[in-house]
Amino acid sequence: MLKFMLATSAIALALGAPARADFWSDAGAKYQGVTIRGVSESTPPSNYVKDVLAPQFTEKTGIVVEFETTSWDQMFDKAIKDMEANSGIYDFVYIEQDIIYSYLARDFLVDITQTLKDNPDLQAPDFKFEEFTTFIDNFRGENGNIFGVPMEAFIKVYLYRKDLFEDPAHIEAFKAKYGYDLAPATTFQQWRDNAEYFANLSQDDELWGTTVQASSGHPAAFYEFFESIAPTYGVYDWGIDGTTYAASVDKGGRMNSPEAKEALKFWVGLLEFAPPEATASTWDEVASTFAAGRAAQGWVYGENAAWIATNPEKSTVVGKVGVALPPMVEGVMEAAEKGEGYIGYYDGGAFGIPHSSKNKEAAVLWLEFIGQASVQADWAVAGSRVVHQATYDDPKVQEVNAKADGYFDLMRDKGYLFKGAPEYPFHAQVREVVAPFIYEAIVGTMTPEDALDAAAAAADAELIKLGYAKE
Amino acid sequence: MRNSTTGWLLIAPTLFILFITGFVPFIYVLVVSFFDWNTFAQNPEPTFTGADNFRELVFDKAFLKSIWLTLKFTAFVLISQLVIGLFLARMLLRNVPLKGLFRTIHTLPLMIAPIAVGATWRLLTVPGLGPIPHYLKSWFGIDYILSRFPDQAFATVVIMDIWHWTPLVTLTLMAGLSNLPEEPLEQARIDGASEWRIFWDITLAFLKPVLLTTIFIRLMDALRTVDEVWMLTGGGPGAETRFIGLHIWRVVFPKTDYGYGSAMSLITLYLTIVMCWLLYVAMTGMKENKA
């Protein structure tokens, strides 16, 4: 009888007790019906967040995510205005690696490490800072705490058309014209020759020699030159001295150094062999150009590598894509190996929470959700981005890696040779005064030499005005 | 007295809204223009610098260039829109076949938001995708690349604005033309005046108030053009279509140079007022001289 009573009581207790849910529904219970709003650039990784991760999070927690994906300019414009005005429209914002220093300088962002320490009930079991790649270090404040949860990271690589470079007819014709073997470029001369050869194949075809991210009215051109081309000529950190903040050679900078001028001359010279849309191309158009089969080689943001190489609905060059490191002048690789330089651009971003957010706790849960190990592999396949070390070895990622000519392996093994933007709090301010001269060089209204002389002078003047450099 | 009080009470809400949305921001911009204030500077607080921002503007080549480009753009679009608008207005008041259909199609661009107009023209003109560069190249061998050739970019921006806003001019002038008194025109015809003479001396003279209003509206609109151009060319190639509105936007928002940007805004406002006033004096002065 006693046994029967005990058993009955146990069953009654079990039935009466609330169902044991997972962490997300438990943690989200307090915030049921809350709507958190975010803004980011419309890119493959962001679109995956909007289309896949946000609905999953809402289903598990009951917290609604309104995620706006817009143009790069609009994203920063909206996020910065919101944070400056303290209006609290956004609960999470995209923080590109290069803007984090400006945001930290203005104290825009919530300290996520501290928030989790202060609210242990918000700590998700599957979210650990130590699982991220070293890219997360870009989002640490002076106290070493994390202010942004990485959501994308990729390197800007040299993509080339394997089918063209391995075609015996092209190999023979190229050798006959240039006297050496056709191959993916390892020197700038080779890049130029490859570009010239493919651009001049036929007047009627739709194939050009190279992509160039040379929009003559958009900062994308500034970024390609200063973050991808100039470093391969040994000009780092935009040519601005990191201690004195001088840009011109006269003051100790390198923005208008002979190496920088040579780099700009080479890059602008490629426009002769680039498709007509090159001068209207940002990073998106460069990827589209390559995916449309309109260029034989080019610098392409890695976030596009996977879809270009594997998605036949969007790309005409599936199975034809080769990936390699960009060419560089002598000494740059050695400097990069020693950590004294870098060979190209390591880009990426995180989601951070503005101080102005009215739903910080719900936003923290959201950032943990997207930072879990379990969501990383599918996201990497969709957007060629990796922020967790373990993602590289996931079978799904390895499958895409094989089709994308080892892009993920290259990023894992050689990623340390690349670097993001310099840690300047005056990022947009200097870019805005320098970029117009890069546009002038693209259009041809200034020579590359004059453009960089003027750019360096303008950067010096701006840095003095901002109070960072001395007269 | 009671009527006057009621009148003031009725317009009070409007005056209040105008005060909040017009006067207060104007005063704020005026105050900020006397400060050096960039929130990403080493000292992010506003620092009073007197008239330094205004002094600097006088020597700012980029600012002066954008003013010049804006004036050039305004002159081109204003004259073109008036000539084409007047021609179309006269045509549409006559009994021409398919007049109704043409008037509807002609008016459609007015209903499109400027940003959408810019996006549409961008799709039409982007190399490798747009039909305009494709056909210009295949039919006439013309390389039409807005992002590479400044003249092409400027001309396209002008044509886009004419396409977008001429219907407004046409409609306004049609309203004006249909309200002209018949008697003076008939008298002139009886007296044997030529059609050209009638148009120049009578029609235009009666149309002057409508013309003046239309010119003012379009002048102010053209001087502050931003969204269409931003979408189509981004101000490029280089700075060849960076009109003053776009230039101020870049200084104030991406560059966050609030003090300097405010000074630019004020100078631009001053220029706009001066131009409108000169135009008004010129047109009303002509009338007085004739009288």
Side-chain angles (χ1 to χ4, degrees):
Chain A
M1 184 62 184
L2 184 66
K3 274 186 183 173
F4 173 75
M5 283 177 71
L6 282 171
T8 314
S9 305
I11 291 166
L13 273 173
L15 289 173
R20 174 75 188 110
D22 67 358
F23 166 79
W24 297 108
S25 54
D26 286 350
K30 267 205 284 187
Y31 311 103
Q32 280 277 337
V34 166
T35 298
I36 54 171
R37 293 180 179 82
V39 65
S40 182
E41 185 187 2
S42 179
T43 59
S46 286
N47 289 329
Y48 184 83
V49 172
K50 186 180 178 186
D51 299 335
V52 180
L53 296 178
Q56 280 178 7
F57 179 70
T58 302
E59 195 185 327
K60 285 180 187 264
T61 61
I63 299 168
V64 179
V65 180
E66 274 185 13
F67 188 39
E68 194 181 330
T69 53
T70 181
S71 71
W72 176 81
D73 319 56
Q74 280 297 297
M75 167 191 72
F76 280 124
D77 195 21
K78 288 180 169 195
I80 291 174
K81 271 185 212 159
D82 177 46
M83 293 188 287
E84 280 192 332
N86 216 23
S87 48
I89 294 168
Y90 296 115
D91 300 300
F92 65 99
V93 293
Y94 178 81
I95 319 162
E96 195 160 358
Q97 172 275 329
D98 50 18
I99 203 83
I100 179 78
Y101 312 105
S102 303
Y103 286 7
L104 289 177
R106 297 287 313 280
D107 193 25
F108 279 160
L109 301 170
V110 167
D111 181 336
I112 296 170
T113 311
Q114 195 58 47
T115 307
L116 286 173
K117 270 186 199 162
D118 297 343
N119 302 276
D121 54 324
L122 289 177
Q123 176 66 58
D126 194 19
F127 176 80
K128 298 177 183 75
F129 288 127
E130 55 274 20
E131 287 180 345
F132 286 86
T133 60
T134 52
F135 182 65
I136 197 171
D137 294 337
N138 286 293
F139 302 96
R140 290 187 190 279
E142 282 179 359
N143 58 1
N145 284 356
I146 299 295
F147 286 77
V149 174
M151 55 78 69
E152 64 175 9
F154 46 84
I155 51 176
K156 192 167 182 181
V157 286
Y158 172 68
L159 286 197
Y160 63 96
R161 288 277 301 279
K162 280 180 105 169
D163 58 323
L164 297 175
F165 280 82
E166 290 170 2
D167 184 331
H170 288 316
I171 291 171
E172 194 182 331
F174 185 91
K175 184 147 193 178
K177 188 170 180 186
Y178 296 98
Y180 66 98
D181 289 334
L182 174 65
T186 54
T187 66
F188 295 108
Q189 184 59 44
Q190 202 176 2
W191 189 307
R192 195 207 162 278
D193 290 346
N194 289 346
E196 184 184 52
Y197 171 76
F198 286 112
N200 293 336
L201 277 182
S202 158
Q203 288 298 312
D204 301 324
D205 69 10
E206 291 291 308
L207 178 70
W208 280 268
T210 180
T211 65
V212 186
Q213 185 181 298
S215 172
S216 57
H218 190 282
F222 168 92
Y223 286 128
E224 175 147 300
F225 176 67
F226 280 108
E227 295 180 344
S228 296
I229 314 302
T232 56
Y233 275 82
V235 179
Y236 308 118
D237 299 334
W238 303 358
I240 296 174
D241 186 285
T243 49
T244 60
Y245 294 129
S248 60
V249 170
D250 293 346
K251 297 192 167 208
R254 298 189 67 207
M255 191 180 275
N256 58 338
S257 61
E259 295 81 11
K261 289 176 178 175
E262 193 60 34
L264 187 57
K265 216 165 126 184
F266 160 74
W267 183 65
V268 168
L270 288 180
L271 287 170
E272 192 184 343
F273 314 117
E277 67 267 27
T279 47
S281 289
T282 70
W283 34 82
D284 292 332
E285 285 81 12
V286 160
S288 304
T289 292
F290 198 90
R294 289 168 65 81
Q297 55 182 352
W299 292 270
V300 181
Y301 276 60
E303 64 182 334
N304 300 298
W307 71 263
I308 290 175
T310 62
N311 188 343
E313 285 176 15
K314 292 163 106 181
S315 169
T316 61
V317 293
V318 171
K320 301 172 182 171
V321 178
V323 179
L325 295 178
M328 64 207 78
V329 298
E330 217 170 293
V332 168
M333 179 58 91
E334 292 75 9
E337 292 279 5
K338 284 187 219 160
E340 293 167 0
Y342 52 98
I343 65 168
Y345 187 44
Y346 197 123
D347 190 26
F351 285 149
I353 304 170
H355 276 305
S356 51
S357 162
K358 291 169 182 135
N359 301 297
K360 294 189 183 70
E361 288 81 12
V364 166
L365 283 176
W366 163 240
L367 297 201
E368 288 184 277
F369 185 82
I370 62 146
Q372 298 175 94
S374 55
V375 305
Q376 300 300 321
D378 287 332
W379 196 1
V381 169
S384 335
R385 36 67 70 203
V386 174
V387 295
H388 274 216
Q389 197 59 39
T391 312
Y392 288 116
D393 299 323
D394 189 281
K396 288 177 189 167
V397 175
Q398 278 301 315
E399 193 186 328
V400 174
N401 181 54
K403 289 179 188 165
D405 198 36
Y407 167 74
F408 287 111
D409 288 347
L410 187 79
M411 186 175 162
R412 180 190 58 204
D413 300 337
K414 301 290 181 189
Y416 70 97
L417 298 170
F418 293 75
K419 184 178 173 276
E423 300 85 355
Y424 298 146
F426 44 76
H427 181 102
Q429 289 62 40
V430 168
R431 183 197 69 208
E432 284 300 309
V433 296
V434 170
F437 299 106
I438 304 299
Y439 306 152
E440 299 268 5
I442 290 167
V443 179
T445 44
M446 283 180 106
T447 64
E449 291 83 356
D450 290 348
L452 284 181
D453 284 338
D460 279 337
E462 184 65 17
L463 285 163
I464 290 167
K465 187 180 171 189
L466 290 169
Y468 292 101
K470 293 197 172 99
E471 294 265 4
Chain B
M1 183 65 193
R2 196 174 59 193
N3 282 347
S4 169
T5 310
T6 312
W8 278 111
L9 279 174
L10 285 171
I11 62 166
T14 310
L15 285 178
F16 178 72
I17 291 168
L18 277 177
F19 180 78
I20 296 294
T21 60
F23 188 69
V24 172
F26 172 74
I27 295 297
Y28 182 71
V29 169
L30 183 66
V31 172
V32 170
S33 69
F34 292 102
F35 286 81
D36 179 15
W37 185 21
N38 191 321
T39 50
F40 287 95
Q42 202 160 44
N43 171 19
E45 301 303 320
T47 310
F48 183 76
T49 52
D52 280 3
N53 286 330
F54 295 94
R55 201 174 296 132
E56 203 179 321
L57 275 177
V58 181
F59 305 102
D60 183 340
K61 283 182 188 168
F63 172 70
L64 296 176
K65 180 175 180 172
S66 72
I67 288 279
W68 164 240
L69 284 171
T70 311
L71 292 177
K72 200 165 80 165
F73 166 78
T74 305
F76 273 113
V77 298
L78 202 56
I79 293 167
S80 308
Q81 285 166 4
L82 281 175
V83 172
I84 299 170
L86 190 56
F87 170 78
L88 290 174
R90 283 171 65 87
M91 192 188 81
L92 289 170
L93 286 172
R94 292 181 185 161
N95 286 325
V96 287
L98 300 174
K99 187 172 79 173
L101 179 70
F102 178 79
R103 194 160 53 192
T104 308
I105 294 172
H106 174 63
T107 314
L108 281 178
L110 269 187
M111 300 172 197
I112 308 173
I115 197 81
V117 168
T120 308
W121 276 74
R122 187 177 166 85
L123 286 173
L124 287 169
T125 55
V126 69
L129 179 72
I132 296 178
H134 175 78
Y135 288 114
L136 282 177
K137 179 75 180 171
S138 56
W139 290 350
F140 306 108
I142 297 172
D143 281 321
Y144 175 75
I145 307 172
L146 296 191
S147 53
R148 199 170 286 185
F149 303 118
D151 291 345
Q152 288 182 358
F154 187 83
T156 307
V157 167
V158 167
I159 292 168
M160 174 176 68
D161 196 85
I162 292 171
W163 175 82
H164 192 191
W165 291 112
T166 299
L168 176 78
V169 178
T170 309
L171 290 180
T172 341
L173 295 183
M174 271 175 75
L177 284 169
S178 55
N179 282 320
L180 289 184
E182 280 296 317
E183 292 80 6
L185 298 171
E186 280 168 9
Q187 273 183 345
R189 283 195 190 99
I190 292 165
D191 290 345
S194 67
E195 281 301 312
W196 173 249
R197 197 68 198 273
I198 293 171
F199 170 74
W200 192 251
D201 285 337
I202 301 176
T203 308
L204 274 190
F206 277 111
L207 208 55
K208 207 172 273 178
V210 180
L211 271 175
L212 198 63
T213 312
T214 313
I215 289 171
F216 277 176
I217 292 171
R218 285 304 307 134
L219 176 73
M220 287 184 282
D221 276 348
L223 288 172
R224 65 182 182 197
T225 298
V226 174
D227 20 16
E228 286 163 309
V229 183
W230 182 73
M231 198 67 210
L232 178 62
T233 65
E240 300 301 324
T241 57
R242 195 188 271 203
F243 302 139
I244 190 62
L246 200 53
H247 187 65
I248 293 172
W249 178 80
R250 292 218 73 92
V251 170
V252 173
F253 290 108
K255 196 161 173 258
T256 59
D257 199 344
Y258 301 128
Y260 197 52
S262 298
M264 278 185 190
S265 302
L266 286 175
I267 292 286
T268 309
L269 176 67
Y270 176 73
L271 280 177
T272 309
I273 293 170
V274 167
M275 284 181 66
C276 287
W277 178 76
L278 284 175
L279 203 64
Y280 179 78
V281 168
M283 293 192 76
T284 52
M286 276 194 295
K287 187 182 170 185
E288 278 162 16
N289 288 343
K290 277 208 158 190

